[in-house]
Amino acid sequence: MACRAIACLAEPGAGRIARFATLALILMVKTVSASPEPFSIAAVPDWVKPLPAFDPALERTAEPFQGYRARLRDFQFNGLQAGQSRWFTAVEYELTNRHGVENHSNIELSFDPGYETLLLHELWVLRGDTLIDKLPTARLDLLRTESDRDELIYNGTRTLAIVLDDVRRGDLIRYSYSVEGENPIFDDQREFQVFTEFAVPMDRNHARILTTTDRPLSRRVRGADVAVQVSEENGVQELIVDQQGVPEFVQEVDVPSWHYDRGTMVFSDLTDWRAVVDWAEPMYRLSDVHNAEIATIASVIRSSRDDLQGQIGAALRWVQEEVRYFGVELGKNSHWPSRPEETLARRFGDCKDKSLLLMALLRELGVESQAALVNTNRGLESGSYPYRLHAFNHVVVHLRLGDTVHYLDPTLRNQGGALGQLREPDYGRALVLSPETSSLSDMSSVQPLYRMSVHKSLTPGVEETQLTVVTSKQGSWAENVRHDLETEGKRGLGRVFHSYYADYFDSIVSGGEPEFADGPGDSVLVTEHYRIPQLWQSDENVSRYRWIYADEIIAYLDMPETTTGRRQPYELIHPISIDERWDVSLTMPLRLDDLDAIVENDWFRFSKQSELDDDGQLLSVTFRYRTLANEVAAASLDEYSAAVAEVYDLASFYIEEKPSLGAAVKEATSELAQAGSLHPLLVLLIMLTGLLRPLILRS
């Protein structure tokens, strides 16, 4: 794990966050003088060729951002000795106003003392022509930060927090440090990144890389390529990247992660995916010795279900529900999973631990499976994704049943149904750890990630209207309902549901707590009852009318905030499938309109279809919405936005009780004028006699 300078590595927004993190962890502070620590203050190593400090010849091209001007980043890597890689970093920046002083006078350097040693070299402030050494006076505290603890993972990370004293507006700050050591899990395989773009503009970005000529590093590039100078001497290969006047990297909002293209070079010993499989596959081999407790669990599952698909679904849920998610990822355990019997004994584990346990349980059920490495940000969908060894952040289980490939995620919760019914994760692509694997595999699932079918029955009455809502949720939405039941309970969810409908119907009254039940497959059925004392609305023309909206669909229509000048694609939530049906009991004469429509394009399909029963007493209007793509190209955003706006306009229908004279005249006049008959004055006369009433009670 490479050392990270959180506060001041040309990422000005991180300064305040880092300061709050420091305050939150104040109880875990250890001062340098209290006891020996896995870092020290040392001179710059001999192998480093540092750039001149505070170089007056370096042109100021970078504009200040929030009181911070990025002057220099100098990264140097020494990979001459296998298993003993070293990194050196020097950073210089200028504080241009009070905001910069407040937010960038602290520096945080993170490392893992389990296999890394941090050496702090320089801590300078240049004030005018005066050079001030801050090493003697700065406060240095070592914090146990656990960088992934918000994800329930303890990884041993420590942070050296540096608090500079007497920092002023206009000061130039420079610090440099080295990190020695590498995680032994990587078996001397080297892979590291060099950024060529940053969140703010930078005056100079420099990188120097040392390796041996008989062990050169491959280079993969994301974003615009940058020249690399290569020289060789006495068996040493030196690579230099030197940029001046580096523009800021601007990431537009809602860009699909697989289109993220911040300039990055990755240098690696690995040149293909097969090499990654060869490295990772031995970690996920099951022992030939079967565990008796795992065999017993499998026996119980087998006896409770006759079909294999049901047994696989039950095995998955056992690991999901009976083994809590929690990871201790120290040293090799950052990537090496615990053995299934260990995970079972302690009843907790992270993704790799739970995946290996599930593989062992499936084996007892007679199902062969493999671990699959994935990237939850779907970065592997990008053809230019630069990483090999560090391309993954999650592990799932892969299996083939008949001709169908399945992926199971034992870290998910609240899933239901048998294999083929339950939602399977789709992270774009996966690296399956099997002898046959030489490339990434497509994870595309045939099941929509989000599926919902809603049936809403509306019975208008003279004094009060009854509303009944029956919802079937599947996939991720079903899992969300089960989770919310665990955390909020029926009463809490009832309040949430009531609040939702109160935004549509004034004075709506709940008919009791919602009812929940498991439905077919992985679905959850939710039933709600409401009374609406005041259904009707009115205006100067119509005394009693109502627009009924396909509110479930409208909630998931995705409209960009702006399309002007956009360069990158816009991400859509996909795949979504929603059926929303409204049944209206015609217990009184009603006028009905806006009942049928279709909108179809490259991104989604929307339809609205009405049906009147044979007795003319029940109107059914069914809305359907299906997404067809997970992104919109920048050039197509105007067309897409227009299509969404059209659906907003169409996702409703109109009912009216006893139309006013003005509305009826307007309606009848239009119809008769189109037929080429009757003068408008004659229409008015007929209306007064009520002879045209059948014309306006149409469906």
Side-chain angles (χ1 to χ4, degrees), residues 56 90 116 192 314 358 386 505 546 564 581:
E116 292 178 327
F192 59 92
L358 177 58
F505 301 105
R546 186 81 204 193
T564 304
R581 172 181 164 186

Side-chain angles (χ1 to χ4, degrees), residues 622-642:
T622 301
F623 301 85
R624 291 186 173 89
Y625 177 71
R626 305 285 188 274
T627 60
L628 305 176
N630 58 9
E631 65 177 74
V632 183
S636 302
L637 273 174
D638 286 336
E639 181 185 353
Y640 167 79
S641 298

Side-chain angles (χ1 to χ4, degrees), residues 97-151:
N97 60 27
R98 179 184 57 81
H99 182 87
V101 171
E102 286 189 354
N103 288 276
H104 302 289
S105 296
N106 303 332
I107 301 163
E108 294 192 357
L109 309 176
S110 294
F111 66 107
D112 191 327
Y115 52 87
E116 292 178 327
T117 299
L118 175 66
L119 305 175
L120 182 60
H121 306 309
E122 301 171 285
L123 196 57
W124 298 97
V125 169
L126 180 63
R127 183 173 299 151
D129 295 329
T130 304
L131 188 62
I132 306 170
D133 184 2
K134 287 294 183 179
L135 278 174
T137 59
R139 178 187 174 98
L140 307 180
D141 293 316
L142 191 65
L143 313 179
R144 180 168 183 150
T145 49
E146 302 292 354
S147 60
D148 292 325
R149 64 194 179 99
D150 289 342
E151 304 295 329

Side-chain angles (χ1 to χ4, degrees), residues 24-285:
L25 292 162
I26 193 68
L27 295 178
M28 290 188 283
V29 166
K30 297 181 181 179
T31 60
V32 176
S33 58
S35 61
E37 302 294 351
F39 80 92
S40 61
I41 297 173
V44 174
D46 293 339
W47 65 268
V48 175
K49 291 183 179 178
L51 298 180
F54 303 118
D55 185 2
L58 179 58
E59 184 179 356
R60 277 179 164 77
T61 58
E63 290 294 324
F65 179 77
Q66 297 182 354
Y68 177 99
R69 174 184 279 123
R71 292 283 288 155
L72 171 69
R73 173 175 167 80
D74 181 16
F75 170 79
Q76 301 191 31
F77 171 83
N78 184 337
L80 295 175
Q81 292 180 280
Q84 299 184 36
S85 298
R86 291 173 282 177
W87 295 263
F88 167 85
T89 302
V91 176
E92 292 182 10
Y93 57 95
E94 180 180 2
L95 304 178
T96 60
N97 60 27
R98 179 184 57 81
H99 182 87
V101 171
E102 286 189 354
N103 288 276
H104 302 289
S105 296
N106 303 332
I107 301 163
E108 294 192 357
L109 309 176
S110 294
F111 66 107
D112 191 327
Y115 52 87
E116 292 178 327
T117 299
L118 175 66
L119 305 175
L120 182 60
H121 306 309
E122 301 171 285
L123 196 57
W124 298 97
V125 169
L126 180 63
R127 183 173 299 151
D129 295 329
T130 304
L131 188 62
I132 306 170
D133 184 2
K134 287 294 183 179
L135 278 174
T137 59
R139 178 187 174 98
L140 307 180
D141 293 316
L142 191 65
L143 313 179
R144 180 168 183 150
T145 49
E146 302 292 354
S147 60
D148 292 325
R149 64 194 179 99
D150 289 342
E151 304 295 329
L152 297 178
I153 292 175
Y154 284 179
N155 57 16
T157 305
R158 302 292 184 271
T159 297
L160 178 62
I162 304 171
V163 181
L164 299 174
D165 64 312
D166 186 21
V167 178
R168 307 177 190 180
R169 181 176 57 191
D171 283 351
L172 287 169
I173 295 174
R174 174 185 174 91
Y175 65 89
S176 68
Y177 63 95
S178 295
V179 176
E180 298 180 351
E182 55 189 69
N183 193 333
I185 192 63
F186 295 122
D187 295 330
D188 302 338
Q189 301 279 8
R190 301 166 298 176
E191 185 171 274
F192 59 92
Q193 66 188 12
V194 173
F195 287 125
T196 56
E197 289 182 310
F198 299 88
V200 296
M202 183 175 295
D203 291 331
R204 187 177 184 184
N205 178 45
H206 177 269
R208 173 175 173 260
I209 298 161
L210 299 178
T211 185
T212 56
T213 54
D214 61 350
R215 198 185 177 199
L217 292 160
S218 67
R219 182 174 71 100
R220 290 169 57 83
V221 177
R222 178 174 60 191
D225 202 356
V226 175
V228 178
Q229 306 168 30
V230 182
S231 62
E232 296 183 358
E233 184 177 355
N234 298 326
V236 175
Q237 184 183 76
E238 181 183 65
L239 297 86
I240 299 290
V241 177
D242 199 357
Q243 300 170 271
Q244 299 204 21
V246 183
E248 69 176 307
F249 171 72
V250 179
Q251 177 71 25
E252 294 175 311
V253 297
D254 297 316
V255 174
S257 57
W258 52 94
H259 285 287
Y260 182 78
D261 61 352
R262 176 182 177 181
T264 309
M265 291 184 185
V266 170
F267 296 87
S268 178
D269 284 315
L270 303 180
T271 57
D272 57 34
W273 294 118
R274 183 63 226 175
V276 182
V277 174
D278 291 339
W279 165 74
E281 189 272 335
M283 306 179 200
Y284 291 88
R285 290 178 187 164

